[in-house]
Amino acid sequence: VYGNGDGETVEFRYYDESDDASYVVDEKLVFEEDMIRGRVLAPYAMTARPGAGDVEDGEVPSVTVLYANHPNPFAAGTSVRYAMKETGRVTISIFNVRGERVSTLVDATHEPGIYLADWDGRDATGATVSSGVYFCRMEAGDYISSQQMVLIK
């Protein structure tokens, strides 16, 4: 992917032939002048999940899903986006590489919709955690998913 304009934003979509629909990929790229992302032997990869990405205000997502945090890697803080297709309890927690719970971002019952939770790189006591790899885990009914996050100081 090549961007030739400073501050140019590129939005990606994909088409799913099985349901004859196109979806917006969560991730967007903001380019700096002459920036290149990916190479032939090291392609730039993005994650796309159908269902919740194109939900308009007031619409109900068709899937419960945990999206990748943004930005990632991050220094000061990061946002975790998630969707609930039905009313239910949701827990979103941050774990370190030893599997220890560092912080709980969400522990509540939600109506269907798309939500955002922020993590400021602090543990449950308010202390700043060290740089490294962390995992964001979402549990909602039968749905369980984890995403890797990298904190850089």
Side-chain angles (χ1 to χ4, degrees):
V1 177
Y2 173 77
N4 60 2
D6 201 24
E8 178 182 5
T9 300
V10 178
E11 178 181 273
F12 295 89
R13 292 180 166 266
Y14 75 95
Y15 175 74
D16 185 345
E17 186 176 1
S18 67
D19 64 359
D20 192 31
S22 67
Y23 299 98
V24 175
V25 176
D26 289 336
E27 193 170 344
K28 292 177 178 42
L29 294 177
V30 178
F31 284 95
E32 297 172 9
E33 188 172 340
D34 294 323
M35 183 174 106
I36 296 175
R37 285 284 178 102
R39 305 269 189 258
V40 173
L41 297 176
Y44 182 73
M46 302 175 87
T47 302
R49 292 185 177 90
D54 287 345
V55 174
E56 301 282 331
D57 283 342
E59 290 184 15
V60 175
S62 62
V63 294
T64 294
V65 65
L66 171 66
Y67 292 98
N69 63 300
H70 184 76
N72 193 23
F74 64 100
T78 190
S79 295
V80 176
R81 185 170 170 241
Y82 59 102
M84 297 286 291
K85 74 175 183 175
E86 57 193 25
T87 300
R89 185 140 198 97
V90 60
T91 303
I92 298 180
S93 299
I94 308 298
F95 293 85
N96 62 24
V97 292
R98 293 185 301 274
E100 301 165 332
R101 186 184 317 262
V102 173
S103 181
T104 299
L105 305 182
V106 178
D107 187 7
T109 299
H110 283 335
E111 298 291 322
I114 295 182
Y115 298 89
L116 199 63
D118 294 320
W119 185 44
D120 59 3
R122 297 180 186 276
D123 66 16
T125 68
T128 302
V129 299
S130 60
S131 296
V133 175
Y134 292 86
F135 297 92
C136 179
R137 178 180 168 99
M138 175 180 170
E139 296 180 44
D142 292 338
Y143 178 84
I144 299 173
S145 182
S146 296
Q147 297 286 339
Q148 181 177 304
M149 307 188 307
V150 178
L151 174 59
I152 301 171
K153 300 257 177 163

